[in-house]
Amino acid sequence: MKHVLLLFVVLMHLTIANAQNNMQARIAYEEAEAAFAEENFNTALVHINKTESLLGQWTPKVGYLKIILLDKQIDYATPSADLQELNKQVSAYMKYAEKAGNTIDMDKFKHVYAIEQKLKAKLLEVEWKKMPEYVAGDEAYSDKEYTLAISHFKKAVDKGNGLAMYD
């Protein structure tokens, strides 16, 4: 009987703690929305991260706002941890969208899809810049060894490197 009573007390405590976290998460989300409306994206991102932490799980509503905030914050020209976080959030949203099917908000989906396409292009460019043939071509170009640079860039192009084709 004592075990049942103890289990009941623990479950009640967890339920109360969960309800408090949910209320705090709602407040943090509303603060994120308010900061977003004021175009204070840094503050909004802090609040949305707090929301996600309080909930302890990914949700489409929070994920969508986080994607929009990260997209506004990120310098797509520079690889960063934020770029990886955006990739993680977009992937989670697209998995959700696949499961949601026809019930998904198409405007939000289109917005996330456009960000996904921009993100894929940037991540591909990051990979291209790491390609040894591209690096060698870039170094040769910097050293004004143009014939050697062209040779390396052609090898990179043969491997599908669009950046080398441009260069």
Side-chain angles (χ1 to χ4, degrees):
M1 183 69 179
K2 288 181 183 180
H3 294 292
V4 172
L5 185 58
L6 180 61
L7 180 61
F8 178 74
V9 169
V10 169
L11 288 175
M12 288 301 295
H13 178 70
L14 290 174
T15 302
I16 291 169
N18 188 38
Q20 288 174 339
N21 279 352
N22 285 341
M23 291 304 291
Q24 290 172 349
R26 283 180 70 182
I27 291 168
Y29 185 82
E30 288 173 4
E31 290 171 342
E33 283 185 316
F36 178 78
E38 295 172 359
E39 296 186 7
N40 189 344
F41 304 126
N42 286 331
T43 301
L45 196 53
V46 167
H47 290 298
I48 208 68
N49 285 333
K50 182 178 178 182
T51 303
E52 193 172 49
S53 175
L54 288 165
L55 291 174
Q57 64 184 12
W58 186 90
T59 64
K61 184 177 180 180
V62 173
Y64 175 75
L65 184 54
K66 190 168 187 178
I67 289 166
I68 303 309
L69 288 167
L70 286 168
D71 180 55
K72 295 219 180 264
Q73 293 279 99
I74 285 179
D75 173 11
Y76 279 90
T78 308
S80 67
D82 283 344
L83 201 62
Q84 296 305 318
E85 178 63 19
L86 178 59
N87 190 37
K88 181 180 128 191
Q89 292 292 327
V90 166
S91 294
Y93 193 89
M94 296 311 262
K95 285 178 188 173
Y96 155 75
E98 188 176 306
K99 289 179 185 175
N102 292 336
T103 62
I104 191 141
D105 180 327
M106 282 306 290
D107 289 333
K108 288 182 179 180
F109 177 78
K110 287 176 184 177
H111 199 173
V112 173
Y113 179 76
I115 292 169
E116 179 187 44
Q117 296 308 301
K118 182 170 48 170
L119 182 60
K120 281 182 179 180
K122 179 57 189 172
L123 293 174
L124 184 59
E125 182 183 317
V126 167
E127 289 304 310
W128 285 341
K129 284 183 178 181
K130 292 178 186 175
M131 185 180 282
E133 295 82 0
Y134 180 81
V135 171
D138 198 40
E139 288 172 0
Y141 184 82
S142 293
D143 293 339
K144 298 184 181 181
E145 296 178 26
Y146 302 119
T147 305
L148 184 59
I150 288 172
S151 173
H152 287 298
F153 285 146
K154 280 183 180 179
K155 289 176 186 173
V157 168
D158 290 342
K159 291 185 175 183
N161 188 320
L163 195 56
M165 183 176 284
Y166 175 80
D167 288 346

